[in-house]
Amino acid sequence: MKWFVDQLSAWFATHGRDLPWRHDVTPYRVWVSEIMLQQTQVATVMPYFERWMTRFPTLESLAVADENDVFSLWQGLGYYRRARYLHQGAQYIIEHCHGDFPVELASLQKVPGIGAYTAGAIASMAFGQNVPAIDGNAERVLGRYFAIQGDLKKGTSRQTLEQCAHAIAAQGRAGIINQAIMDLGASLCGKKAQCETCPLTTHCQANLRQMTDVLPQKHTPTAKTPRICAALILKDTAGKVLVARQRPDQLLGGLWTFPTLELANDTVSKHNKELLLRSPRIALWHAWLKTHGLTAPLTSCTPSYVWIRHIFTHIDMLMTWDIAHYNTSISLEALTPDAALDQFDLVMQKSSTLDMQDHPSSTLMKKILAKL
Ligand code: SF4
C-alpha cells in the first residue's frame, strides 16, 4: 500500500490536473465541484464552476438565493436535481449546522444530495481526513490494480474494493491520493489502459495478468422506466405561450416546461404507440387544464407527429406534442387566474424562439423548442 501511495503521489505532483476547485480549497468549493462533476465532463464543468462561484461565492449566498436563479445558472448542465440538492444542502447547513460545514462522514451524509463518495471527497480534500472517495475512476483504477473480479457495485467485490480503498487511505495524504486516483482514471487508466506509461505498472495485477481489457467487469445497469408523454403548445394571438412550472416532487421539479400529460408509463409496442399518436387528445387536455384551474376553450389539437427521446437517470422518455387552437379572441392572460400564477406563466414568442430567459428550462424542453 505504501508503494502505491508513494508512486501515485510522485506522479500526481507532475501530472495532476490544474483545476479551479483545487485552488483556495474549501469544503464549499469541493462540494460544488463534486456535485457538478457527477455524470459531467471536467471541461464542461469548468466554466459553470467559475460562474457559480462568482454568483454564489459562499454557502450563505447560495442558501438565500431564489431557486429560479439557481436553475438559471445550471442551465445546460443537465440533471437538475443536483442544483436543487446544492440549494437545499446550503439551506440545511445554515439551518441545522449553524452555517458550519459538517466534518464527520456520517454528518456530511445527512446533507441533502451528499452520498458516500461526495462525503469522502469533502472529508479528505477539504478537511484532511484519511478516508477514501470511490467514484467510477477509483473503481476502475483500484479494480484493476488489485484485479478485483465481479460487479464492483455490489456484494463481496464491493466489500473487497472498499477494504482496499480504506487501506490505501489509511497510509495518509488521502486528499492527494484520492485526486491522483481520479486523474489516473481520467487519463492513463481510462477505458483503454495505457500501462506502459503508468506509475503503477510494475505492481498492477490487471497489467501483470494481462486482464486490463476485462477488468473492471461490467455491472448490469438498472433498467430505466419507460414513459410516454405529450406536451401542449398553447399560444394566443398576441404570441404568448403558456408554460408550467413542475412541482418540486415531479420530474424536472422547479423547471419550466410546456404543460405535460403522461400517456403511458409502461413498455408500449410500436402498434400501441401508433394508436396513441392517432388518438385525439383534446378531451385529455381539457381535463388537464380544468384540473389545473385553467379554462381555455380548446377547439382543436393538432398532433406534431414527432417523437423525441430523452434519457434521464432512471427514465426513458418519449415525448410528443400537440399544437392547441382555441377561441383566439380571449387572451391567455385572461385564462390564467391569480391563484395559478406561481405554477403557470406566459412567455413571448419572438420569430421562431421563445423568450425563456427568466424561465429555467430542461434540455428536453429545448429539444422540443428546436423542433418547433
Ligand atoms: S498499470 Fe494499467 S491497468 Fe494498472 S493502474 Fe496503470 S493504467 Fe491502469
Side-chain angles (χ1 to χ4, degrees):
M1 297 297 176
K2 185 175 180 309
W3 184 87
F4 180 100
V5 168
D6 289 344
Q7 288 294 114
L8 210 49
S9 53
W11 176 83
F12 184 68
T14 50
H15 294 87
R17 292 173 291 182
D18 183 17
L19 301 171
W21 43 90
R22 290 180 177 172
H23 297 272
D24 307 320
V25 176
T26 65
Y28 175 63
R29 286 168 67 84
V30 173
W31 176 46
V32 172
S33 67
E34 289 299 340
I35 299 295
M36 285 186 169
L37 286 164
Q38 288 170 9
Q39 312 191 39
T40 310
Q41 301 283 330
V42 166
T44 307
V45 165
M46 278 167 54
Y48 279 90
F49 179 81
E50 302 281 18
R51 282 197 292 272
W52 185 279
M53 285 302 155
T54 304
R55 178 70 184 81
F56 307 123
T58 61
L59 195 71
E60 292 75 14
S61 57
L62 175 59
V64 298
D66 184 86
E67 190 181 67
N68 247 6
D69 290 346
V70 174
F71 283 139
S72 289
L73 221 55
W74 200 270
Q75 278 196 90
L77 261 187
Y79 301 104
Y80 283 81
R81 199 169 49 162
R82 296 179 294 169
R84 172 168 302 106
Y85 278 145
L86 281 174
H87 195 209
Q88 291 175 344
Q91 291 167 344
Y92 174 93
I93 295 169
I94 296 292
E95 200 174 321
H96 298 278
C97 314
H98 311 290
D100 295 326
F101 231 94
V103 176
E104 301 304 325
L105 282 180
S107 311
L108 276 166
Q109 288 185 68
K110 286 184 183 161
V111 177
I114 294 189
Y117 164 73
T118 309
I122 295 169
S124 62
M125 295 174 205
F127 293 125
Q129 294 178 36
N130 289 321
V131 292
I134 309 175
D135 67 347
N137 283 325
E139 282 178 9
R140 192 164 52 257
V141 171
L142 300 182
R144 282 173 173 165
Y145 184 81
F146 294 104
I148 305 169
Q149 314 249 355
D151 187 343
L152 296 178
K153 300 269 183 223
K154 57 188 182 193
T156 51
S157 305
R158 183 73 195 182
Q159 282 173 12
T160 306
L161 175 74
E162 290 185 1
Q163 283 165 4
C164 292
H166 278 281
I168 287 169
Q171 298 292 315
R173 294 176 281 167
I176 295 292
I177 295 303
N178 286 339
Q179 292 175 71
I181 290 173
M182 285 172 204
D183 285 12
L184 191 74
S187 56
L188 301 179
C189 198
K191 200 171 170 196
K192 182 103 185 90
Q194 300 168 48
C195 305
E196 54 293 346
T197 47
C198 176
L200 306 176
T201 191
T202 56
H203 287 52
C204 172
Q205 290 304 307
N207 181 37
L208 297 174
R209 299 181 202 177
Q210 299 186 341
M211 294 178 75
T212 56
D213 288 344
V214 293
L215 291 178
Q217 286 166 3
K218 298 259 179 304
H219 68 276
T220 324
T222 318
K224 295 185 189 296
T225 309
R227 281 178 71 179
I228 297 187
C229 294
L232 182 72
I233 315 299
L234 182 58
K235 185 169 77 165
D236 67 12
T237 46
K240 291 190 171 173
V241 180
L242 185 74
V243 290
R245 176 148 57 178
Q246 298 295 95
R247 290 195 319 270
D249 59 320
Q250 289 177 305
L251 183 69
L252 304 175
L255 295 179
W256 293 90
T257 66
F258 295 117
T260 302
L261 185 68
E262 182 163 294
L263 301 173
N265 58 10
D266 207 347
T267 309
V268 172
S269 67
K270 202 173 170 204
H271 170 71
N272 284 346
K273 198 160 69 180
E274 286 297 317
L275 285 179
L276 271 172
L277 248 178
R278 287 198 217 115
S279 319
R281 288 189 281 265
I282 189 164
L284 295 176
W285 282 121
H286 267 139
W288 191 96
L289 291 166
K290 194 173 172 195
T291 309
H292 291 79
L294 306 174
T295 51
L298 306 184
T299 52
S300 66
C301 266
T302 309
S304 64
Y305 297 107
V306 176
W307 288 106
I308 288 181
R309 189 168 189 200
H310 192 81
I311 306 291
F312 295 92
T313 319
H314 300 298
I315 293 170
D316 183 351
M317 171 87 81
L318 267 179
M319 173 75 92
T320 188
W321 61 92
D322 298 329
I323 310 284
H325 306 279
Y326 77 109
N327 186 342
T328 50
S329 63
I330 307 171
S331 77
L332 274 175
E333 250 129 7
L335 298 170
T336 313
D338 289 349
L341 282 180
D342 186 45
Q343 198 187 346
F344 294 99
D345 208 348
L346 304 170
V347 290
M348 274 304 293
Q349 182 170 10
K350 294 176 189 162
S351 64
S352 62
T353 57
L354 290 186
D355 182 4
M356 296 293 290
Q357 270 194 351
D358 298 327
H359 298 77
S361 58
S362 67
T363 308
L364 177 57
M365 173 88 166
K366 291 188 174 76
K367 282 185 182 177
I368 297 175
L369 287 172
K371 294 283 182 190
L372 284 172

